[in-house]
Amino acid sequence: MNTSDTLRAAFAPTGRLRASINLGNPILANRRPDTGEPFGVSVDLAHELAQRLGLPLDLVVFDAAGKSVEAVTAEQADFGFFAVDPVRGQGIAFTAPYVLIEGSYLVRDASPLQANEEVDRAGTRVVVGKGSAYDLHLTRELKAATIERAPTSPTVVDVFVETTADVAAGVKQQLEADQKRFPGHRLLPGRFMVIQQAMGLPKGRSAEAVAYLRSFVEEMKASGFVAQALQRHGIEGASVAPAQEA
């Protein structure tokens, strides 16, 4: 994968490569408790991309997916890591996915709900993270249930508990972690969606930059970089996305 001054300028018009990092998805990024430094699969990919382009890297960190999307769409960041969604696609040029993540529902032990298909009923209140992939998906898919939005994905279960809503929706691993904080809850079996996590650039960037980023993602999957990053960070429940067909 060759680089040129033109390509570097397309990726980083300010001279520094700004990566939008979303801490709202614990599978992809977190902060180290001792230093506050961001780390995770997306951070590893950002550093690798910057190294290959020969550019200095700045991590622009957000606590919610919606804010991360807005930063890239508004070109306040040069690229980011997002769940693929047609709404977001209006302002972002996506690569193929590099990781697949399951979305699950959490309910109280005493809830009558036993299956994902039972959630979409009149009177059911579902809490999701504002602007998250789950929010965008469920806004389209749920016809009878009511959606209530927490400020961020990591606060979904807190809001769910405080408001006595019926269902919390989000990243399976986040919900499993929250079960330990709030005993008396269970996950509904299976999943209600699979999130395709991809990289993306602002829609206005050059075709050359978009093509380079798409090739970069395919190489990171094929080389084992993504699988090794998932293993290194102890991530379970996420899988490397299949290669994109030519």
Side-chain angles (χ1 to χ4, degrees):
M1 297 173 67
N2 296 321
T3 60
S4 64
D5 290 341
T6 301
L7 180 64
R8 282 187 279 271
F11 265 99
T14 66
R16 300 186 65 86
L17 188 63
R18 301 166 297 173
S20 180
I21 302 295
N22 168 32
L23 298 180
N25 186 337
I27 286 180
L28 300 181
N30 283 282
R31 284 193 187 275
R32 299 193 185 281
D34 51 346
T35 64
E37 179 186 6
F39 73 98
V41 177
S42 60
V43 177
D44 291 351
L45 285 167
H47 280 288
E48 182 68 16
L49 178 63
Q51 181 178 341
R52 288 176 177 238
L53 289 170
L55 287 166
L57 178 69
D58 293 329
L59 300 180
V60 187
V61 181
F62 299 96
D63 62 359
K67 298 176 184 177
S68 181
V69 170
E70 290 172 5
V72 173
T73 302
E75 301 207 30
Q76 295 169 352
D78 300 307
F79 72 100
F81 303 83
F82 316 102
V84 177
D85 185 272
V87 174
R88 295 173 176 176
Q90 296 173 12
I92 294 174
F94 288 111
T95 66
Y98 61 92
V99 162
L100 304 179
I101 301 172
E102 295 183 349
S104 297
Y105 288 134
L106 181 78
V107 299
R108 293 174 180 80
D109 284 345
S111 171
L113 298 173
Q114 299 296 327
N116 294 321
E117 296 74 26
E118 299 173 1
V119 169
D120 194 15
R121 294 177 177 175
T124 300
R125 297 160 57 204
V126 181
V127 180
V128 298
K130 182 179 179 182
S132 67
Y134 310 98
D135 182 6
L136 298 174
H137 174 81
L138 294 176
T139 296
R140 290 191 297 269
E141 297 299 321
L142 295 183
K143 308 303 181 185
T146 301
I147 295 177
E148 300 180 4
R149 294 171 175 85
T152 66
S153 290
T155 61
V156 163
V157 175
D158 296 85
V159 173
F160 162 71
V161 171
E162 292 168 4
T163 61
T164 65
D166 302 290
V167 180
V171 178
K172 182 177 182 180
Q173 287 72 17
Q174 179 73 57
L175 298 180
E176 288 174 333
D178 289 334
Q179 277 183 290
K180 299 175 182 178
R181 296 194 297 125
F182 298 103
H185 296 83
R186 58 185 167 85
L187 289 174
L188 294 184
R191 63 200 186 196
F192 68 87
M193 71 180 297
V194 175
I195 300 294
Q196 297 183 325
Q197 289 287 342
M199 295 179 70
L201 293 164
K203 258 295 179 55
R205 298 296 168 90
S206 71
E208 181 187 10
V210 173
Y212 183 93
L213 189 63
R214 288 174 175 165
S215 296
F216 170 79
V217 165
E218 294 308 309
E219 184 177 338
M220 293 299 97
K221 291 187 293 187
S223 68
F225 185 99
V226 175
Q228 291 163 12
L230 289 170
Q231 183 177 23
R232 181 167 55 251
H233 295 294
I235 301 302
E236 299 179 356
S239 59
V240 179
Q244 178 73 11
E245 296 181 4

